[in-house]
Amino acid sequence: MDQRPRLADVAARAGVSTASVSLVLRGAPGPSAETRERVLAAAADLSYRADRTASLLARRRRHLLGVLLDVRNPFHAELVEEVQIEAGRAGYEVVLSTLTRDRDEARALETLLDFRCEALILLGPDASDPALDELAAQVPCVVVGRPVAGADVDVVRPAEDVGVDAALHHLIDLGHSRITFVDGGRGAVAATRRRGYRRAMRRAGLVAEVLPGDHTEEGGVRAGRRIVAEHVLPTAVVASNDRLAVGVMDAFVRAGVDVPGQVSVVGYDDSTLARLAHIDLTSINQDAPAQARNAVQAAVSRLDGGRTRRLETVLVPHLVVRGSTGKPRPAG
């Protein structure tokens, strides 16, 4: 069994990221003098030697794009399919690395780095802007689905405020005024949608109500049960994503609350869940093919075209109206 120290072992000994270790050992700019000293000392202590075969491989074009995704997110599955198609057209192969219950973002990213992908496409990452900037110093990165302000990464994202506005305008035009939002948790995408809801409600002169949730069906069920337990039901619910919306609807069905007769429900992502006939969920469509196409083009233009300027592409989402929304029931 190979017991040679790995890049991750040096990073752990030095107390820095694997990206920083790689930059130091390659003599690349970025890390501070103190970081360089710690990394070199750790490498010496561990008798770390870079794999020469791997180094030679790294000098040749591999034409691999690494994709980070949440395996539990059906919208990510749609994006990956489109990314695979676009990458194939550009002459690239795709390596997938997934988030699961016991596999976090850092570990998933380390896998992509171990595969020596030439560029990374990150679907809705939760990493901080400084962490993304550090990653981008090692390999070109495209972030899909969320804004990034302080990192040298390319961004492809929907105009979330436009999407949330479309959902609320639809409900308000139907006559709804008591509209509850089920939150998507601590992630960057969820935070953007939450802010969009509060802003849109404030502009409409309505009272915002945000219920805690996460990005799962179970989180939606919990929120739905809490809504049912309230003395007065809202007339409409907007969920941060389709999985939450489906969970809310499940709780309503079990409690005998009619959708949309008593409460209208709107999701976000327009995933395959939303299109199922027995769910028939009104939802915000983000144009997965366009996001994938722009993400792959951004990566390839850096790798093949030599582009260095940061690129941000903002796409306009649109509302798809289905059977989960309708006019509110008259009071009394």
Side-chain angles (χ1 to χ4, degrees), residues 92 299-308:
Y92 283 78
V300 172
S301 67
R302 279 194 186 261
L303 297 173
D304 296 348
R307 177 178 58 82
T308 57

Side-chain angles (χ1 to χ4, degrees), residues 10-324:
V10 178
R13 172 68 67 93
V16 299
S17 69
T18 54
S20 292
V21 173
S22 178
L23 290 173
V24 170
L25 296 181
R26 288 190 287 114
S32 66
E34 179 186 359
T35 297
R36 290 182 185 279
E37 289 181 9
R38 286 161 56 193
V39 168
L40 292 174
D45 290 344
L46 294 171
S47 299
Y48 174 82
R49 295 182 62 187
D51 188 331
R52 180 160 179 78
T53 302
S55 298
L56 290 172
L57 275 174
R59 295 175 188 173
R60 299 202 299 267
R61 292 297 308 274
R62 296 172 63 81
H63 287 85
L64 287 179
L65 298 180
V67 178
L68 172 78
L69 73 148
D70 186 339
V71 72
R72 301 156 295 184
N73 188 327
F75 183 64
H76 283 189
E78 293 183 49
L79 279 172
V80 164
E81 182 176 11
E82 298 295 338
V83 165
Q84 184 81 61
I85 293 170
E86 293 297 329
R89 289 172 178 166
Y92 283 78
E93 292 292 338
V94 170
V95 175
L96 304 180
S97 189
T98 62
L99 307 181
T100 63
R101 287 192 305 273
D102 60 353
R103 191 169 192 267
D104 63 14
E105 196 165 285
R107 183 176 171 192
L109 286 171
E110 185 176 349
T111 296
L112 295 176
L113 293 174
D114 287 345
F115 270 95
R116 296 178 176 79
C117 298
E118 288 193 289
L120 305 184
I121 297 176
L122 314 177
L123 306 185
D126 288 330
S128 66
D129 289 2
L132 289 171
D133 195 44
E134 186 175 1
L135 182 64
Q138 184 174 2
V139 61
C141 296
V142 184
V143 171
V144 178
R146 57 161 276 201
V148 179
D152 186 23
V153 299
D154 296 319
V155 174
V156 178
R157 63 178 179 88
E160 301 281 15
D161 54 341
V162 174
V164 175
D165 280 352
L168 289 172
H169 286 162
H170 169 65
L171 293 171
I172 292 169
D173 288 346
L174 287 172
H176 295 275
S177 57
R178 288 181 289 119
I179 306 169
T180 295
F181 184 79
V182 179
D183 190 34
R186 295 181 298 175
V189 174
T192 302
R193 293 175 185 177
R194 180 173 59 250
R195 287 194 299 269
Y197 163 78
R198 291 187 184 278
R199 186 168 52 244
M201 291 291 280
R202 187 167 56 248
R203 282 201 303 263
L206 301 176
V207 177
E209 181 187 19
V210 177
L211 293 184
D214 52 31
H215 56 275
T216 68
E217 290 86 351
E218 291 79 6
V221 169
R222 290 191 295 271
R225 288 172 178 167
R226 179 171 173 176
I227 291 169
V228 170
E230 296 290 331
H231 182 63
V232 178
L233 291 172
T235 62
V237 171
V238 176
S240 185
N241 66 19
D242 287 349
R243 296 180 67 190
L244 276 170
V246 169
V248 169
M249 293 172 72
D250 181 80
F252 286 173
V253 167
R254 295 177 187 276
V257 175
D258 182 57
V259 176
Q262 290 174 270
V263 184
S264 288
V265 179
V266 180
Y268 205 113
D269 287 339
D270 192 28
S271 64
T272 51
L273 285 173
R275 301 167 210 159
L276 295 174
H278 67 288
I279 294 176
D280 202 27
L281 177 66
T282 295
S283 187
I284 301 298
N285 183 287
Q286 300 185 69
D287 197 347
Q291 288 196 44
R293 181 171 61 254
N294 281 278
V296 172
Q297 288 175 353
V300 172
S301 67
R302 279 194 186 261
L303 297 173
D304 296 348
R307 177 178 58 82
T308 57
R309 179 180 57 85
R310 183 177 183 270
L311 178 67
E312 180 168 16
T313 303
V314 181
L315 304 171
V316 179
H318 66 276
L319 182 72
V320 179
V321 178
R322 298 190 179 91
S324 67

